[in-house]
Amino acid sequence: MGVSTSNFLTWDGSVLSIGGKINHLAGSVLYNSADTVRGETSATYTRHKELTIRRPGTYTIKFSIASTDASASAFGRIYRNSSAIGTERSTASGSPVEFSEDISGWSANDTIQIFTKFTGTGGQSCSLTNFRVYVLDYDSSTITYDA
């Protein structure tokens, strides 16, 4: 195993030094979201949601889909940089059904995308909502006093 020159952890007996890239881990802390409803009538996958990430790592990605026609299915899938990577999900439910997947291997400036398609006809459609991305934790500022 080689020695990394960009990532390190050292302890000299009194000082702990940490350096390098820190990756996100999948979790339950909301990182970002796009909850607006988007409709689709096409039978081919079409992009509707996209988030550019700034840190590498593993992300928990959730989205909800529904069908306006109980005899037809709504399909949704997670993409990375316009390439399908998630499991194809489907439902014929008229109420939004949430799907979740932990996906690793993300790099800084990758795009997490949700594509949908619909098998129905005659003015029916599917809907996509609640695109949400979660991590284990992340650095953020917190107001600790406001008098």
Side-chain angles (χ1 to χ4, degrees), residues 39-43 66-74 92-94 117-127:
E40 183 57 59
T41 58
S42 175
S67 174
T68 60
D69 180 354
S71 65
S73 292
S93 173
K117 69 179 182 178
F118 182 65
T119 61
T121 59
Q124 302 296 320
S125 66
C126 71
S127 64

Side-chain angles (χ1 to χ4, degrees), residues 18-118:
I18 302 172
K21 292 182 181 178
I22 299 174
N23 294 345
H24 275 302
L25 299 175
S28 60
V29 175
L30 183 62
Y31 179 68
N32 213 325
S33 65
D35 292 343
T36 52
V37 177
R38 299 292 179 230
E40 183 57 59
T41 58
S42 175
T44 59
Y45 271 113
T46 304
R47 179 184 63 176
H48 286 284
K49 306 278 184 175
E50 181 175 286
L51 167 67
T52 301
I53 58 170
R54 300 295 176 222
R55 286 179 48 192
T58 302
Y59 291 82
T60 299
I61 303 157
K62 297 182 181 187
F63 63 92
S64 298
I65 52 176
S67 174
T68 60
D69 180 354
S71 65
S73 292
F75 291 84
R77 194 164 188 185
I78 300 167
Y79 281 60
R80 177 183 3 239
N81 304 325
S82 299
S83 295
I85 60 163
T87 303
E88 183 176 65
R89 309 297 183 142
S90 66
T91 185
S93 173
S95 298
V97 176
E98 182 180 79
F99 297 97
S100 177
E101 198 165 350
D102 292 351
I103 299 180
S104 62
W106 297 97
S107 298
N109 298 312
D110 276 348
T111 55
I112 301 173
Q113 303 159 312
I114 306 296
F115 283 60
T116 62
K117 69 179 182 178
F118 182 65

